[in-house]
Amino acid sequence: MRTIWWEDGTVKMIDQRQLPHEVVIAEFTDHREVARSITEMYIRGAPAIGAAAGFAMALAALESTATTREGLLNDLEAAAETVRAARPTAANLFWAVDRMLGVAHRGTLTDADAVREALVAEAQALADEDVEISKRMGANGATLINDGDTILHHCNTGALATVDWGTALGVIRMAHEQGKRIHVLVDETRPRLQGARLTAWELQQYGIPYDIISDNAAGYFLRTGQAHKVFFGADRVAANGDVANKIGTYMLSLAARDNGVPAYAVVPTSTIDLSLPDGGHIPIEERSPDEVLDLQRQGRPLAPAGASARNPAFDVTPHRLVTAIVTENGVVRPPFGPGLQAVVAAAR
Ligand code: MRU
């Protein structure tokens, strides 16, 4: 089963809010509902969000009652605004919407139905390519993993964060399938617990041994030599190699550097945003304080009534703390600028 797929004009996705307890499939036929599913994190993880955005644009094309090409293009531009507003940080969301609009505006598509057909095909192609790209990242990244490694991993970067397979967790899975013995220390990843809920669920299915650790135990494991490598994904990478990823990645990378442990980011080129010179320009989503105060999301907050909280969902790790950036087009090492340009150019 993929994380998200298209079936007879309907977008289907695993509702990740229900995992690991239940596998519930959500179904949508309206692009606004798909945008809401991204905001509310039915689906999350940068490449999965990109695929959802692609399918949302295909739905918008089918929903539109426009009979002319121009009318449909107007409706698609409006839908694009709705989809772009779903979440601010993951570059893949904007990349996918732009890719879909680029197809819609092709001069060779002269009537509305031709545009509709092309958009459905493009969304499907984008999702299929995501799987193939994940496997290439996996193969490139697995060269960095040795037999016997213990790997510290942050957030969820597996099949659930992509259409299938994964970014950083895809690398770990590939190394495991190559026969390397690996142990994973799974950061629980507060406040949404993507590590404890989703990464542990995936690792169990792959038969990869792991232990969940609280996020603030990571420094202990790095300091005592019990973690040999750190792997994480990214939501956006700036032109200089600064990496925006799930909140806590910065502290993890600092602790890794202080202890001489390599820290690897694994990203498809669709996550690299060469228009931003550095990570200071990456928009950081701040989500509801309720996610921090009511960790179990059961309406029974941990904190005293009336407590306030802050909830930045991402942070930026400066490129000086990143050992290498693994992409589907190769492993980029510092200085990152020229290498990132080359892997993005190779993707065009
Ligand atoms: O808030 P989320 O769960 O969408 O955040 C996801 C992450 O930060 C992942 O680590 C990131 O998307 C890269 S892996 C696909």
Side-chain angles (χ1 to χ4, degrees):
M1 187 192 289
R2 287 184 172 187
T3 299
I4 181 167
W5 67 99
W6 177 269
E7 209 173 292
D8 301 329
T10 300
V11 176
K12 298 192 177 186
M13 62 177 74
I14 298 176
D15 180 353
Q16 300 188 32
R17 301 167 313 160
Q18 317 295 335
L19 290 173
H21 305 298
E22 270 184 287
V23 180
V24 175
I25 308 302
E27 302 187 9
F28 303 106
T29 52
D30 185 308
H31 74 277
R32 287 163 286 248
E33 290 292 296
V34 177
R36 184 178 61 85
S37 77
I38 296 171
T39 306
E40 295 182 6
M41 296 175 71
Y42 287 59
I43 189 159
R44 32 65 50 205
I49 290 172
F55 284 132
M57 292 301 293
L59 279 183
L62 298 189
E63 284 161 42
S64 167
T65 54
T67 52
T68 62
R69 177 179 182 273
E70 286 63 36
L72 178 56
L73 291 179
N74 282 339
D75 288 347
L76 287 171
E77 293 290 348
E81 286 312 302
T82 304
V83 177
R84 283 194 189 106
R87 286 190 83 183
T89 304
N92 309 59
L93 175 69
F94 307 93
W95 168 87
V97 169
D98 289 347
R99 173 167 162 171
M100 296 297 285
L101 286 178
V103 169
H105 280 91
R106 264 183 204 151
T108 48
L109 303 171
T110 49
D111 64 72
D113 282 342
V115 173
R116 286 190 178 92
E117 204 178 309
L119 285 192
V120 173
E122 190 69 10
Q124 186 62 56
L126 191 156
D128 291 342
E129 281 168 27
D130 187 72
V131 183
E132 184 248 335
I133 285 168
S134 277
K135 290 190 175 163
R136 278 164 51 202
M137 282 187 283
N140 290 339
T143 61
L144 302 168
I145 294 181
N146 296 325
D147 186 32
D149 272 350
T150 292
I151 296 171
L152 216 161
H153 174 274
H154 196 59
C155 196
N156 172 265
T157 67
L160 291 165
T162 56
V163 175
D164 200 355
W165 200 265
T167 60
L169 203 61
V171 166
I172 291 169
R173 184 174 168 187
M174 186 67 83
H176 168 75
E177 294 205 352
Q178 290 171 349
K180 293 175 186 166
R181 285 161 300 169
I182 300 162
H183 192 90
V184 184
L185 293 172
V186 177
D187 267 354
E188 60 176 352
T189 317
R190 288 188 176 215
R192 295 287 298 223
L193 302 175
Q194 289 93 331
R197 294 190 305 109
L198 308 177
T199 299
W201 185 73
E202 286 196 40
L203 287 171
Q204 249 165 27
Q205 294 175 58
Y206 309 146
I208 301 174
Y210 69 90
D211 292 302
I212 297 171
I213 61 169
S214 62
D215 299 332
N216 44 18
Y220 164 81
F221 285 102
L222 289 161
R223 182 96 183 125
T224 54
Q226 296 184 69
H228 306 115
K229 275 150 204 170
V230 170
F231 271 83
F232 45 81
D235 289 82
R236 206 184 286 229
V237 175
N240 69 344
D242 289 352
V243 171
N245 189 49
K246 179 53 55 194
I247 193 74
T249 306
Y250 172 49
M251 290 204 312
L252 179 60
S253 305
L254 276 173
R257 178 53 55 96
D258 192 44
N259 292 287
V261 174
Y264 298 109
V266 184
V267 307
T269 48
S270 50
T271 301
I272 300 168
D273 185 349
L274 295 178
S275 74
L276 302 183
D278 59 59
H281 294 82
I282 299 176
I284 299 295
E285 177 180 19
E286 183 140 354
R287 295 184 63 85
S288 165
D290 294 345
E291 292 182 348
V292 173
L293 296 171
D294 186 4
L295 207 58
Q296 302 284 356
R297 300 169 64 235
Q298 290 172 343
R300 202 162 163 267
L302 301 163
S308 67
R310 293 286 303 274
N311 186 18
F314 302 97
D315 58 26
V316 173
T317 298
H319 60 88
R320 66 186 161 79
L321 299 176
V322 179
T323 307
I325 300 175
V326 178
T327 76
E328 74 273 24
N329 291 331
V331 177
V332 181
R333 291 187 182 269
F336 289 115
L340 290 176
Q341 280 183 23
V343 291
V344 169
R348 288 201 180 111

